[in-house]
Amino acid sequence: MKNILVIGSTGQIGSELTMELRKRYGGDHVVAGYIVGAEPKGELLESGPTARANVTDRQSLEMAVKEYHIDTIYNLAALLSVVAESRPSMAWKIGIDGLWNVLEVAREYECAVFTPSSIGSFGESTPHIKTPQDTIQRPRTMYGITKVTTELLSDYYYTKYGVDTRAVRFPGIISNVTLPGGGTTDYAVEIYYAAVKGEKFICPVKAGTYMDMMYMPDALNAAISLMEAAPARLKHRNAFNIASMSFDPEEIYKTIKKYVPDFEMEYQVDPLKQSIADSWPDCLDDTCAREEWDWKPQYDLESMTVDMLEKLRAKLGK
Ligand code: AKB
């Protein structure tokens, strides 16, 4: 990787991924791609180049790729699961028509492409415990449908045109920098903000609802390590199961309460979030990622909680 374009650089993952890539490859080599209305600010703006890169506008992608001699694209443009249910055609337009544009530009300019999939690419008929790498993927949400299509289209461009496409299936990502927006797993970020602000947390999914989650530093490391992996070792491409922790609301609540003894939580179940969560696996089997590119997470629920509380207290002045 010499020159990298991050599409969606101001989003939850993009904002931290862009900074991590700049740390590793140098600010000048990582272009923060944005859409009008979500321009980079502060450190993101000052630490390297920026370019308009809207997946629904192929010309904007082509211009950014040509101007900065891009050889690797991290395509993070997507609507999250809950929003995608209320805006299905927009989810398709961004997730799939947009991906098509990215892959076409990548084919023409010989770029490698990372477009994440998700635990949302699985559905009710998938084995929920230790979900295998290769298994049934019949999601019923628009988010899931776009994620399965992302995997298939990315594999198609690899086998048909030799575009170096790679991806992971992200679990819920927990971070203290940019808030997620419109996901089923957002509660696992919001709960930390409530604890630090001294507020009671209203949990939108039931006790006993297990989902895979991951701390942002591990998620960033996964994306970058996979893109750096020796191609000869990869038997899979789009997309690898990755996992580091799986918990239900009770477990995260009890872990936070150890450090914030007065913290309180009550349940007010959101039927849409609950039905999406129920259709997703409880925990993935990530053996293939461990074997093919040495995936190994650093954080578990306890160490993530300690770090999240410390960072959020500093950020919120609590
Ligand atoms: C969501 O909840 O929509 C995402 C995901 C797990 O893909 N965080």
Side-chain angles (χ1 to χ4, degrees):
M1 283 189 275
K2 284 188 302 288
N3 294 313
I4 300 166
L5 171 65
V6 180
I7 298 174
S9 70
T10 59
Q12 190 210 7
I13 300 175
S15 55
E16 290 186 64
L17 180 64
T18 306
M19 294 311 295
E20 183 60 31
L21 288 166
R22 284 181 175 164
K23 220 191 283 168
R24 297 190 193 199
Y25 302 105
D28 292 347
H29 293 278
V30 183
V31 180
Y34 65 88
I35 54 168
V36 173
E39 290 84 0
K41 293 189 185 72
E43 213 185 8
L44 202 54
L45 176 66
E46 283 145 25
S47 56
T50 64
R52 200 173 78 80
N54 184 336
V55 290
T56 65
D57 171 6
R58 184 158 149 194
Q59 221 192 339
S60 73
L61 302 177
E62 217 169 316
M63 277 167 67
V65 165
K66 269 204 298 208
E67 182 175 351
Y68 293 100
H69 308 286
I70 297 297
D71 54 51
T72 305
I73 300 172
Y74 285 84
N75 170 25
L76 302 174
L79 296 188
L80 290 182
S81 53
V82 177
V83 191
E85 280 312 282
S86 60
R87 304 178 72 193
S89 76
M90 182 59 79
W92 185 269
K93 193 171 168 204
I94 295 173
I96 303 308
D97 296 343
L99 172 63
W100 194 283
N101 287 333
V102 172
L103 290 170
E104 275 298 299
V105 171
R107 174 160 82 103
E108 196 175 336
Y109 294 91
E110 297 181 5
C111 304
V113 182
F114 175 88
T115 309
S117 182
S118 157
I119 53 173
S121 68
F122 298 112
E124 267 129 40
S125 50
T126 302
H128 274 36
I129 310 287
K130 282 268 161 207
T131 303
Q133 172 66 39
D134 302 308
T135 185
I136 303 161
Q137 288 180 281
R138 302 285 295 178
R140 293 206 185 128
T141 60
M142 181 46 71
Y143 183 67
I145 292 166
T146 62
K147 288 301 177 190
V148 176
T149 312
T150 293
E151 296 187 9
L152 295 173
L153 202 55
S154 299
D155 271 345
Y156 182 82
Y157 267 72
Y158 171 66
T159 47
K160 179 128 178 146
Y161 304 119
V163 177
D164 185 0
T165 55
R166 307 178 187 194
V168 296
R169 294 177 179 135
F170 275 138
I173 309 290
I174 295 164
S175 94
N176 46 61
V177 178
T178 307
L179 280 163
T184 306
T185 58
D186 293 7
Y187 93 87
V189 179
E190 290 155 0
I191 193 171
Y192 286 104
Y193 278 82
V196 169
K197 287 180 183 166
E199 294 167 359
K200 181 194 256 190
F201 182 62
I202 309 296
C203 188
V205 291
K206 283 192 259 183
T209 308
Y210 280 83
M211 286 183 277
D212 270 305
M213 303 279 180
M214 185 172 289
Y215 200 28
M216 185 64 93
D218 280 330
L220 302 182
N221 216 23
I224 299 171
S225 306
L226 174 58
M227 291 311 279
E228 283 184 340
R233 286 184 65 196
L234 301 181
K235 296 192 190 91
H236 297 85
R237 278 187 168 260
N238 302 282
F240 282 92
N241 282 0
I242 52 170
S244 62
M245 62 185 95
S246 168
F247 52 76
D248 83 326
E250 286 297 305
E251 284 179 24
I252 186 170
Y253 169 64
K254 283 185 189 139
T255 309
I256 294 173
K257 210 170 158 63
K258 280 203 251 170
Y259 303 94
V260 186
D262 296 337
F263 185 42
E264 286 178 50
M265 177 172 88
E266 85 175 41
Y267 291 96
Q268 274 176 31
V269 171
D270 175 323
L272 175 59
K273 287 186 180 172
Q274 187 65 50
S275 73
I276 296 175
D278 287 342
S279 74
W280 290 356
D282 291 10
C283 58
L284 304 188
D285 178 347
D286 61 0
T287 309
C288 293
R290 289 174 187 264
E291 286 176 0
E292 293 175 39
W293 47 278
D294 307 321
W295 158 244
K296 194 165 184 279
Q298 303 296 319
Y299 286 89
D300 60 12
L301 178 55
E302 189 78 34
S303 53
M304 173 178 77
T305 297
V306 170
D307 200 58
M308 274 297 280
L309 293 174
E310 188 192 311
K311 300 262 166 58
L312 281 183
R313 280 183 184 129
K315 178 174 166 179
L316 303 175
K318 299 283 179 187

